[in-house]
Amino acid sequence: MSYNVEEMSWSDARNLLRKWRDDNERKSDDVMQLWDNVLSSKQSKLGNERHLVLEQVIIAALDCNRIETAEHCVSILSAEFPGSLRIQKYRSMLLEALERYDDALDELEQIIRKDETNAAPRKRKVAILKTQGRTAEAIKELCDYMKIFMSDQEGWHELCNLYLAEGEYAKAAFCMEELLLHNPHSHLIHQRLADIRYTMGGLDNIEMAKTHYCKAVKLNVNNLRALYGLFLCCGHISNSKLVIGKRKEAQKLAQWAMAQIQARTQPTAKDTKGAIKTGKSKAAGCEDELQALEQAFGGLDVGKVAN
């Protein structure tokens, strides 16, 4: 922390916490330092912000495994707002931190029964089930959630991850297609949908993957993963039994993708002065392509895979 906590007044600490809340910054360790050294004994001076600060401290304490501090703050808020669903959510988070998952789920169920439109407890319930390894139940809960909150993009992302963990690639692809409806100009969503389609296999899925990889590259030409995926898809198509026109088109597209990969991964001309020679043999050219792929994708030993 760049601030001298010992020389900081309570008003400075309050203003700093307010700034972090407004900027949506967590900074849990720093929050706990300010609470321990400045604000814990000055709660009465916080005025209307006292409850907001207590909530901020609860989250920070749970992040830092300061269970006693979190319990203390939750007890203060519970005494002042005994029927608050918001405070009940914090109690469930505290139970979750104590690994009392069944009790936490009971608290969340009570909140959901009282307010079916409250998204936060439903998300926490999915998180607990995922933590326990109950993926199938987490998927069911998240599907019920998405029926109510269909525009929640984070929910579709999480549901896609859960389906992928279970090997349900077709359902994961559906989730990414829903995300495309919300954000059709995201190259990352096109890329991930293409990855899923490529993993599913089959010529139809490979062609769909190629289409989405092309879209991802069009939106961001520096997306190396999309370029590599496009290269692989075109390789499959060029060796398939499709009409010769599509195979030739795929070969040209594969060459273009490889040229783009090499242009973005090979050293500059200044660094390689004197190293480039004319009249390279075909084998040397293939070696350059393999080297470019290895540089682009984390040192994969492409040569051994190809052999």
Side-chain angles (χ1 to χ4, degrees), residues 261-273:
I261 292 171
Q262 288 179 320
R264 285 160 179 75
T265 57
Q266 286 185 340
T268 62
K270 182 179 179 179
D271 296 332
T272 57
K273 187 176 181 180

Side-chain angles (χ1 to χ4, degrees), residues 11-54:
S11 59
D12 292 335
R14 178 201 59 190
N15 293 336
L16 192 55
L17 290 182
R18 181 193 301 161
K19 179 180 181 300
W20 291 340
R21 287 197 305 272
D22 293 340
D23 295 341
N24 199 25
E25 294 184 82
R26 203 124 166 172
K27 292 186 178 290
S28 299
D29 290 329
D30 296 340
V31 169
M32 292 311 302
Q33 287 187 40
L34 292 176
W35 175 256
D36 292 335
N37 294 286
V38 182
L39 293 176
S40 60
S41 59
K42 302 287 192 306
Q43 293 184 45
S44 59
K45 295 185 178 182
L46 294 174
N48 295 331
E49 291 189 47
R50 175 170 166 268
H51 302 119
L52 293 175
V53 170
L54 286 172

Side-chain angles (χ1 to χ4, degrees), residues 99-277:
E99 297 186 359
R100 293 167 56 185
Y101 296 121
D102 293 336
D103 294 335
L105 288 172
D106 290 339
E107 289 278 354
L108 294 172
E109 283 290 351
Q110 293 178 24
I111 300 174
I112 294 170
R113 281 196 295 268
K114 294 177 183 177
D115 183 5
E116 294 182 355
T117 62
N118 194 337
R122 294 178 181 271
K123 287 185 174 182
R124 291 249 45 98
K125 190 175 180 182
V126 172
I128 292 174
L129 293 172
K130 184 179 177 182
T131 300
Q132 292 181 292
R134 297 155 63 180
T135 308
E137 295 178 54
I139 289 174
K140 181 180 180 301
E141 286 293 333
L142 192 49
C143 285
D144 293 339
Y145 170 83
M146 296 309 303
K147 290 176 183 177
I148 303 172
F149 304 95
M150 294 183 182
S151 61
D152 188 339
Q153 296 187 43
E154 291 183 355
W156 286 116
H157 272 294
E158 183 60 32
L159 187 56
C160 178
N161 290 333
L162 292 174
Y163 277 133
L164 289 175
E166 292 291 293
E168 297 277 1
Y169 295 111
K171 294 179 180 179
F174 172 81
C175 295
M176 297 310 297
E177 288 166 354
E178 287 290 330
L179 279 169
L180 274 181
L181 295 176
H182 294 286
N183 195 355
H185 301 295
S186 170
H187 69 99
L188 295 175
I189 295 177
H190 280 284
Q191 171 205 299
R192 194 172 194 202
L193 178 55
D195 289 342
I196 295 171
R197 288 292 181 185
Y198 182 85
T199 304
M200 292 171 69
L203 194 55
D204 290 340
N205 285 317
I206 295 295
E207 288 193 280
M208 292 180 68
K210 178 179 79 72
T211 300
H212 287 290
Y213 280 132
C214 286
K215 187 65 176 178
V217 172
K218 182 179 179 180
L219 292 169
N220 181 10
V221 73
N222 293 316
N223 188 333
L224 281 175
R225 186 180 180 117
L227 285 168
Y228 180 54
L230 180 59
F231 175 78
L232 293 178
C233 288
C234 290
H236 278 280
I237 293 172
S238 62
N239 292 321
S240 68
K241 296 181 180 180
L242 288 176
V243 295
I244 190 168
K246 286 190 175 182
R247 283 184 286 166
K248 286 185 176 180
E249 179 186 352
Q251 288 176 352
K252 292 180 180 179
L253 196 55
Q255 292 174 357
W256 177 85
M258 177 55 63
Q260 295 297 314
I261 292 171
Q262 288 179 320
R264 285 160 179 75
T265 57
Q266 286 185 340
T268 62
K270 182 179 179 179
D271 296 332
T272 57
K273 187 176 181 180
I276 300 176
K277 297 180 181 179

